[in-house]
């Protein structure tokens, strides 16, 4: 709608509206997250009144084309918004509103018509909300008055009150009125940072970035750890996963902490001492335990994975149960019952799909078994872990866990992880010597 002047973006939420006395905290988090997304944020401000918000310029002037782009990109990346509408705020005067609609409706009509498919009916509706009861029209009367003024001039427009290509939207409040001609769908959910943070086991594949995206939609800030097996995996794997994390961080309230763990030595221990068919399950149990220690370090209450039932051998119900038993930390699996095409659609929406599709082997492919077990019994896997020094394997993984700057790939050791493991988890998982 760049051909129609814009001096505000009307902001709407849905799920936040179900909150009780703490709703204001979710609202403030939403606005803070939008502000963080805006470049030159000092130039922008908000209109706020009883659960209705609008993004506007601090000096109330109209947005330039560049500013419209900045605002649209920020709103498209902010969880918690159900929808938003670029529009015009004006005085809450009926004649002024009618004049404004008649002045700009033809432009809105032409833009909408250009987007129609061949032989498709062109539909229109009017929606008015009035919170100021002294306004001379009721909401219904205002809708009828606008329709009577505008629609007779356009014979090809058909009224459809449920779903229309073009909507004339009006909101009237005691001190201000909003007029708009187009709605944009938001990401929905809750603002990132309004729920407890989680730690994602982020691989270079399609699924785990989508799991992170879905957790953000539920309000969780997502930090991540990836597992590599250099020299058996390519060094480019870290760069690839760091790139995925940077893409995901565009939707967050602040950048994630991104860690990488080299588990090559522990995998060699498993290869040399354990049954081949259980390798992948044993790898995953180590990953869960290393991630549990890191989550403790980060004061995080849940782990997050991109697993889905039946997708690969390690993701049968029996194997997921066996992997789960390696930790008492809550494990979230947002994709557990999703179809792969659904996951791909979300990956494309999040912008991670193209990077995820770059071929680069991950840790689970290192020494991968020819015939992996699909029904790993917990007791059987515990017996397998007694065949090698599982505790020493975890210590080695923790020694080789680094905090990584996703832009420079600079690495920082995290030596305190070993202290956490030895004081809290070693005896719990493996008993005393």
């Amino acid at each position: 709608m760049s051909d129609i002047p814009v001096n505000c973006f009307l902001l709407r939420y849905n799920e936040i509206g179900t909150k009780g006395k703490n709703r204001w905290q979710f609202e403030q988090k939403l606005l803070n997250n939008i502000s963080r997304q805006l470049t030159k944020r000092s130039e922008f401000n908000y209109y706020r009144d009883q659960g209705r918000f609008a993004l506007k310029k601090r000096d109330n002037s109209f947005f330039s084309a560049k500013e419209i782009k900045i605002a649209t990109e920020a709103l498209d990346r902010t969880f918690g918004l159900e929808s938003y509408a670029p529009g015009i705020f004006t005085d809450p005067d009926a004649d002024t509103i009618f004049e404004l609609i008649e002045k700009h409706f033809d432009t809105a009509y032409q833009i909408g018509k250009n987007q129609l498919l061949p032989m498709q009916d062109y539909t229109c509706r009017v929606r008015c909300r009035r919170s100021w009861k002294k306004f001379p029209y009721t909401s219904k009367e205002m809708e009828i008055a606008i329709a009577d003024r505008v629609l007779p001039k356009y014979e090809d427009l058909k009224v459809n009150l449920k779903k229309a290509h073009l909507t004339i939207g009006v909101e009237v409040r005691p001190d201000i009125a909003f007029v708009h001609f187009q709605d944009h769908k938001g990401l929905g959910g809750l603002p990132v940072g309004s729920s407890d943070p989680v730690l994602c086991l982020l691989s270079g594949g399609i699924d785990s970035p989508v799991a992170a995206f879905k957790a953000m939609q539920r309000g969780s800030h997502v930090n991540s750890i990836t597992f590599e097996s250099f020299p058996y995996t390519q060094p480019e794997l870290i760069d690839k996963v760091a790139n995925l994390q940077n893409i995901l961080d565009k939707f967050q309230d602040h950048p994630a902490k991104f860690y990488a763990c080299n588990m090559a030595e522990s995998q060699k221990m498993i290869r040399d001492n354990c049954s081949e068919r259980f390798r992948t399950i044993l790898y995953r149990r180590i990953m869960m335990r290393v991630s549990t220690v890191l989550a403790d370090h980060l004061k995080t209450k849940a782990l997050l994975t991109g697993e889905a039932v039946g997708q690969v051998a390690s993701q049968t119900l029996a194997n997921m149960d066996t992997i789960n038993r390696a930790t008492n930390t809550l494990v979230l699996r947002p994709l557990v019952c999703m179809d792969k095409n659904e996951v791909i659609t979300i990956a494309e929406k999040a912008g991670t799909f193209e990077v995820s599709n770059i071929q680069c082997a991950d840790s689970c492919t290192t020494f991968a078994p020819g015939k992996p077990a699909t029904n790993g019994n917990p007791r059987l896997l515990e017996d397998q872990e007694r065949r090698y020094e599982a505790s020493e394997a975890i210590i080695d993984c923790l020694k080789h866990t680094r905090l990584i700057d996703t832009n420079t790939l600079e690495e920082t050791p995290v030596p305190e992880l070993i202290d956490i493991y030895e004081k809290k988890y070693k005896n719990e998982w493996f008993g005393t010597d």
Side-chain angles (χ1 to χ4, degrees), residues 207-236:
D207 301 319
S208 55
V210 172
F213 188 81
K214 295 299 290 181
M216 292 174 194
Q217 191 176 42
R218 300 311 310 150
S220 289
H221 178 85
V222 180
N223 295 310
S224 64
I225 179 171
T226 194
F227 292 86
E228 45 101 10
S229 306
F230 183 79
Y232 304 103
T233 55
Q234 299 165 280
E236 290 81 8

Side-chain angles (χ1 to χ4, degrees), residues 63-122:
F63 287 61
S64 66
K66 182 178 179 180
E67 289 167 338
I68 290 175
K69 184 174 184 292
I70 290 170
T72 299
E73 290 178 349
L75 299 174
D76 283 341
R77 292 194 297 259
T78 304
F79 286 104
L81 278 180
E82 182 68 18
S83 65
Y84 66 90
I88 307 169
F89 67 80
T90 187
D91 295 329
D93 173 76
D95 289 336
T96 301
I97 294 170
F98 292 144
E99 181 181 342
L100 198 60
I101 292 171
E102 291 181 289
K103 180 179 180 180
H104 298 294
F105 182 77
D106 188 67
T107 302
Y109 165 84
Q110 294 296 338
I111 292 173
K113 189 169 185 177
N114 291 338
Q115 297 173 350
L116 289 179
L117 298 174
M119 307 301 293
Q120 189 176 21
D121 288 336
Y122 194 4

Side-chain angles (χ1 to χ4, degrees), residues 267 276-277 279-280 283 363-372:
Q267 289 177 292
E276 177 184 352
R277 57 195 299 264
R279 283 178 188 171
T280 304
Y283 295 169
S363 285
C364 286
T365 64
T366 302
F367 315 132
K371 293 183 178 180

Side-chain angles (χ1 to χ4, degrees), residues 45-59:
N45 203 353
Y46 297 98
Y47 168 87
R48 303 179 63 167
D49 179 48
Q50 298 180 352
R52 181 55 85 219
F53 303 98
L55 175 67
K56 64 184 187 67
K57 295 283 293 298
R58 194 168 291 277
D59 61 4

Side-chain angles (χ1 to χ4, degrees), residues 130-369:
R130 180 200 64 153
S131 64
W132 183 32
K133 301 309 177 184
K134 292 184 179 180
F135 191 71
Y137 293 84
T138 66
S139 296
K140 191 67 176 177
E141 290 170 346
M142 192 67 174
E143 290 174 354
I144 294 171
I146 293 170
D148 287 344
R149 286 170 177 260
V150 173
L151 298 187
K153 301 175 185 178
Y154 301 88
E155 296 181 356
D156 59 337
L157 276 179
K158 297 181 180 181
V159 175
N160 187 326
L161 299 180
K162 292 185 178 181
K163 188 176 182 180
H165 298 104
L166 177 59
T167 298
I168 305 171
V170 177
E171 293 206 14
V172 182
R173 308 189 82 78
D175 58 335
I176 199 170
F178 298 95
V179 175
H180 60 88
F181 299 96
Q182 189 181 61
D183 285 326
H184 293 264
K185 183 69 175 173
L187 291 174
L190 297 172
V192 175
S194 61
S195 300
D196 289 329
V198 298
L199 176 64
C200 181
L201 282 68
L202 187 65
S203 73
I206 295 171
D207 301 319
S208 55
V210 172
F213 188 81
K214 295 299 290 181
M216 292 174 194
Q217 191 176 42
R218 300 311 310 150
S220 289
H221 178 85
V222 180
N223 295 310
S224 64
I225 179 171
T226 194
F227 292 86
E228 45 101 10
S229 306
F230 183 79
Y232 304 103
T233 55
Q234 299 165 280
E236 290 81 8
L237 175 63
I238 298 297
D239 185 51
K240 176 185 177 181
V241 184
N243 193 3
L244 287 170
Q245 184 62 68
N246 282 332
I247 294 170
L248 292 168
D249 279 344
K250 294 177 182 179
F251 301 93
Q252 300 228 64
D253 52 343
H254 56 87
K257 290 183 177 179
F258 173 64
Y259 297 83
C261 170
N262 188 319
M263 58 183 301
E265 289 301 316
S266 64
Q267 289 177 292
K268 286 196 290 184
M269 293 169 67
I270 290 170
R271 177 198 63 187
D272 295 341
N273 295 281
C274 301
S275 173
E276 177 184 352
R277 57 195 299 264
F278 295 119
R279 283 178 188 171
T280 304
I281 306 174
L282 290 167
Y283 295 169
R284 295 294 295 177
R285 283 171 67 89
I286 287 179
M287 290 177 183
M288 284 294 178
R289 284 169 169 158
V290 170
S291 300
T292 295
V293 176
L294 180 58
D296 192 315
H297 169 65
L298 295 172
K299 309 301 181 187
T300 298
K301 297 180 180 179
L303 305 180
L304 179 76
T305 79
E307 294 165 297
V309 174
Q311 184 163 234
V312 292
S314 65
Q315 294 174 26
T316 63
L317 288 177
N319 284 350
M320 283 197 287
D321 176 51
T322 299
I323 292 166
N324 257 19
R325 290 170 187 254
T327 178
N328 288 327
T329 302
L330 175 66
V331 181
L332 305 178
R333 295 178 170 93
L335 317 186
V336 69
C337 291
M338 290 182 66
D339 177 85
K340 192 67 174 185
N341 287 331
E342 294 177 89
V343 176
I344 290 173
T345 297
I346 299 171
E348 291 173 336
K349 181 178 181 180
T352 58
F353 181 70
E354 186 175 339
V355 176
S356 293
N357 252 351
I358 298 172
Q359 294 301 308
C360 194
D362 61 20
S363 285
C364 286
T365 64
T366 302
F367 315 132

